[in-house]
Amino acid sequence: MERFIEDALSEWMKGEGPDSDIVISSRIRLARNLTNYPFPMLATNQQSEQVLGKVSDVIHAEDLKMLSHFERIPLSEINELESKVLVEKHLISPNLAEESRNGAVILSENESISIMINEEDHIRIQCLFPGFQINEAYELANQIDDIFEEKLNYAFDEKRGYLTSCPTNVGTGIRASVMLHLPALVLTQQINRILTAVSQVGLAVRGLYGEGSESLGNLFQISNQITLGQSESEIIHNLYSVVKQIIEHERSARAKMLTESRTFLIDRVNRSYGTLSYAAIMDSKEAAQRLSDVRLGIDLELISNVSANVLNELMIMTQPGFLQQYAGKKLSTNERDVTRADMIRERITT
Amino acid sequence: MICQECGEKPATLHFTKIVNGEKTEFHLCESCAREKGDSIPGAPNGFSIHNLLSGILEFEPAMGQNIKQQKKVIRCENCGLTYSQFRKIGRFGCSSCYNHFSGQLDPLLKRVHGNSVHVGKIPIKSGGKIQFKRQIKDLKKELQSKIDHEEFEEAARLRDEIRDLEQKISEV
Ligand SMILES: [Zn+2]
Ligand SMILES: [Zn+2]
């Protein structure tokens, strides 16, 4: 359990996935509910306790044990900072951390599987893979779903499919999403055109790391909006083919920059590398931008003495919850900026 | 791109609803997205959850009090949520809500998803019958096309297959 909170990089993130120069991770989330219990929002304390018990029991299923060892963490047993770290690692949602009653998460050993209990729905099965592996993530999520279904009674309706608390999830209950790093499309100012186009084919795009502000670090999450009236494979295929095209656009934008403005690129990525190596104060916005530059430098082989893994790790470690966990205490904004700079210097220069 | 709501902050959420050929684009900043969350059908998850949860907790005690005051209130008999409460918070209270509000749901689901009927995965345990029904529907379509093309031998085989499945359904 301490490992889940102390290590920034989940074991699964250390693996290299396909297209990992652009696709950070692929995620599938399935929303499921039990019959005979109100959804978590209206459940009494006793009811949500029963749901917690029933769902938790499934970790003893033999089929599940064959996939991995699993550990259950009730939210009531960890402190605010610890749950914040789990949020920053994308292992639980902010909603589970802040709002749930009798909420818990079941985590696999490598943290690629996380099953939230008593979030907005009774069960949220999530599978995370490095790189572009959305089909692989679905296969695993589907397998886990079958194991849970065998042991539990799901709320399912012939006409409406899997019944969920929010009407935007009903039907398949699936949310497939891919996190992309698109610095060249941002630098060449093609990003808005592409995001608009993507949003017109039934997919949603959101910038990441925006604390009420813009998208930082050139990270974008693309996911399906529609869950009803399309099969899982149609939904995933649609996302897959759109992301495939975005990857091509980003690659050609990178190639073009490399030939047409090589010196500009070398200057930019090394300037950021230099700043990260020496700065003593670093706010989250600057850190996200500089880390994005260095990552681009690594992907284009302009920087060779830092690994992509260190970058992935820093993207998570430089967020507020993790910084405070690292420091072992609550930090003010100014203190965070200093700790962030310390941590980056330490990691990036070794 | 600037947020279309406040016209100040940069937009970080982009999506479009296309329902029956009618397009609506949304380009919002985080804070406007959060505020608008419950009025945007199909807004991706995790938007207005804060508002929504605080919303339901506020009017929970009032439930049951004003049943008699309002006429023709559509209410889920299982969890007590009324249809107008559902519209306000954008969340169902329990799986029975889908039955009790079924008369109202088609237009809503069509607006959100462009569709109102599930065609995806069917659970193995509870969905056995449904699985057979779907297979029969597909086979009947195939059967008709075989008949149309005068492939009677194939048609006879399909007819047997359909009969077997119908038998299975009656046994489930
Ligand atoms: Zn705005
Ligand atoms: Zn209900």
Side-chain angles (χ1 to χ4, degrees):
Chain A
M1 140 87 186
E2 274 162 19
R3 182 174 49 85
F4 293 129
I5 290 158
E6 272 162 19
D7 297 348
L9 214 52
S10 301
E11 205 52 47
W12 67 267
M13 268 300 282
K14 291 177 187 161
E16 282 252 315
D19 301 311
S20 60
D21 55 329
I22 293 171
V23 185
I24 311 279
S25 61
S26 303
R27 165 160 63 171
I28 292 286
R29 188 225 64 200
L30 299 175
R32 300 291 186 252
N33 284 285
L34 306 186
T35 48
N36 302 326
Y37 289 96
F39 296 142
M41 180 181 70
L42 284 190
T44 63
N45 193 45
Q46 194 192 3
Q47 285 167 326
S48 61
E49 225 174 82
Q50 286 172 3
V51 169
L52 177 62
K54 279 181 189 259
V55 180
S56 300
D57 279 347
V58 183
I59 49 174
H60 305 301
E62 285 305 317
D63 296 354
L64 200 65
K65 281 184 187 164
M66 294 207 322
L67 290 173
S68 166
H69 172 75
F70 283 87
E71 195 170 329
R72 192 191 71 146
I73 305 173
L75 270 285
S76 59
E77 287 177 17
I78 56 176
N79 65 36
E80 199 191 320
L81 221 50
E82 290 167 331
S83 69
K84 212 169 182 173
V85 168
L86 294 180
V87 171
E88 288 169 3
K89 289 175 82 175
H90 302 290
L91 295 176
I92 64 173
S93 63
N95 186 29
L96 187 80
E98 289 155 24
E99 309 266 10
S100 66
R101 256 178 312 147
N102 292 308
V105 61
I106 297 170
L107 292 172
S108 69
E109 203 134 38
N110 69 355
E111 302 172 22
S112 99
I113 306 168
S114 92
I115 299 148
M116 285 185 275
I117 309 173
N118 285 324
E119 211 252 19
E120 184 184 287
D121 296 297
H122 294 142
I123 305 170
R124 288 265 173 112
I125 298 166
Q126 175 183 277
C127 292
L128 278 155
F129 276 60
F132 195 20
Q133 303 191 73
I134 197 70
N135 288 302
E136 291 80 356
Y138 177 65
E139 267 168 44
L140 182 59
N142 192 35
Q143 202 181 340
I144 295 163
D145 182 41
D146 287 343
I147 297 169
F148 276 77
E149 197 246 336
E150 201 194 319
K151 307 279 174 201
L152 302 165
N153 290 316
Y154 276 174
F156 181 86
D157 178 76
E158 180 170 358
K159 192 173 173 197
R160 310 289 190 204
Y162 293 93
L163 304 177
T164 55
S165 171
C166 183
T168 58
N169 293 319
V170 72
T172 54
I174 197 173
R175 191 77 61 208
S177 58
V178 173
M179 209 210 289
L180 301 168
H181 183 230
L182 305 174
L185 290 176
V186 173
L187 278 171
T188 56
Q189 298 179 341
Q190 297 178 69
I191 194 74
N192 282 343
R193 188 172 57 80
I194 286 173
L195 297 187
T196 306
V198 167
S199 75
Q200 284 170 350
V201 293
L203 298 174
V205 188
R206 61 188 308 208
L208 284 199
Y209 289 152
E211 273 178 46
S213 61
E214 76 255 55
S215 148
L216 299 179
N218 303 318
L219 293 170
F220 299 88
Q221 190 184 52
I222 302 192
S223 56
N224 65 299
Q225 291 182 60
I226 292 165
T227 58
L228 184 68
Q230 291 181 0
S231 70
E232 289 81 356
S233 56
E234 285 174 298
I235 290 167
I236 290 164
H237 181 77
N238 183 26
L239 179 71
Y240 183 89
S241 50
V242 170
V243 169
K244 206 75 200 163
Q245 289 176 47
I246 298 175
I247 292 172
E248 292 314 315
H249 281 298
E250 171 69 18
R251 284 228 176 94
S252 61
R254 287 181 186 187
K256 200 163 175 240
M257 286 182 73
L258 211 46
T259 50
E260 287 174 12
S261 22
R262 191 177 179 88
T263 313
F264 164 81
L265 264 186
I266 291 175
D267 178 70
R268 186 180 172 109
V269 302
N270 281 301
R271 216 168 256 281
S272 284
Y273 181 52
T275 306
L276 292 174
S277 306
Y278 293 102
I281 300 169
M282 178 74 61
D283 65 30
S284 62
K285 191 174 166 180
E286 184 180 2
Q289 186 54 55
R290 303 272 182 212
L291 288 168
S292 168
D293 286 343
V294 172
R295 199 194 163 93
L296 179 65
I298 295 169
D299 290 335
L300 295 178
E301 294 172 346
L302 300 172
I303 292 178
S304 56
N305 38 352
V306 194
S307 79
N309 260 346
V310 168
L311 262 284
N312 283 341
E313 199 170 36
L314 283 173
M315 287 193 313
I316 292 167
M317 290 186 91
T318 50
Q319 296 180 70
F322 226 103
L323 281 176
Q324 299 178 77
Q325 182 67 30
Y326 172 85
K329 57 175 188 203
K330 282 220 164 205
L331 301 171
S332 69
T333 313
N334 291 340
E335 289 171 329
R336 265 187 246 160
D337 292 350
V338 172
T339 309
R340 182 178 293 114
D342 288 347
M343 182 195 273
I344 293 172
R345 269 201 325 274
E346 192 182 292
R347 307 252 151 186
I348 213 158
T349 51
T350 48
Chain B
M1 195 178 300
I2 297 294
C3 170
Q4 65 188 44
E5 274 298 299
C6 59
E8 282 171 17
K9 294 176 197 159
T12 61
L13 179 85
H14 314 267
F15 64 101
T16 305
K17 301 266 37 151
I18 311 172
V19 176
N20 304 328
E22 205 179 302
K23 278 187 196 175
T24 323
E25 276 185 37
F26 294 92
H27 303 282
L28 305 170
C29 72
E30 286 288 320
S31 41
C32 291
R34 211 168 285 135
E35 267 170 38
K36 239 181 128 48
D38 48 359
S39 58
I40 303 170
N45 246 2
F47 263 85
S48 51
I49 287 165
H50 291 268
N51 308 347
L52 294 174
L53 277 174
S54 53
I56 184 107
L57 294 176
E58 273 161 31
F59 64 74
E60 202 175 14
M63 270 187 219
Q65 282 176 14
N66 43 13
I67 307 173
K68 281 173 189 168
Q69 293 163 10
Q70 294 168 322
K71 282 176 191 171
K72 280 206 291 186
V73 169
I74 306 166
R75 178 183 296 277
C76 171
E77 284 163 26
N78 187 47
C79 72
L81 195 78
T82 66
Y83 185 70
S84 60
Q85 286 173 325
F86 160 69
R87 287 307 302 264
K88 200 167 147 200
I89 58 172
R91 297 290 186 277
F92 294 105
C94 74
S95 49
S96 299
C97 289
Y98 282 92
N99 288 330
H100 290 107
F101 304 156
S102 67
Q104 279 66 38
L105 284 187
D106 274 348
L108 174 98
L109 292 174
K110 277 193 180 130
R111 208 166 62 240
V112 175
H113 299 283
N115 220 308
S116 62
V117 180
H118 179 60
V119 296
K121 184 178 178 180
I122 293 167
I124 303 162
K125 192 174 59 181
S126 52
K129 232 181 191 167
I130 306 165
Q131 190 79 58
F132 291 145
K133 276 196 212 164
R134 248 195 220 173
Q135 280 175 11
I136 289 172
K137 207 173 137 197
D138 291 345
L139 286 174
K140 279 187 175 162
K141 247 188 237 162
E142 219 182 315
L143 173 66
Q144 192 53 50
S145 106
K146 296 291 175 201
I147 293 171
D148 292 347
H149 292 89
E150 302 188 348
E151 296 171 32
F152 297 115
E153 224 166 281
E154 270 295 288
R157 191 187 59 79
L158 289 172
R159 211 171 271 133
D160 289 346
E161 222 175 294
I162 292 169
R163 196 178 312 122
D164 287 351
L165 281 173
E166 280 169 344
Q167 182 64 32
K168 273 188 198 160
I169 286 185
S170 61
E171 285 163 7
V172 170

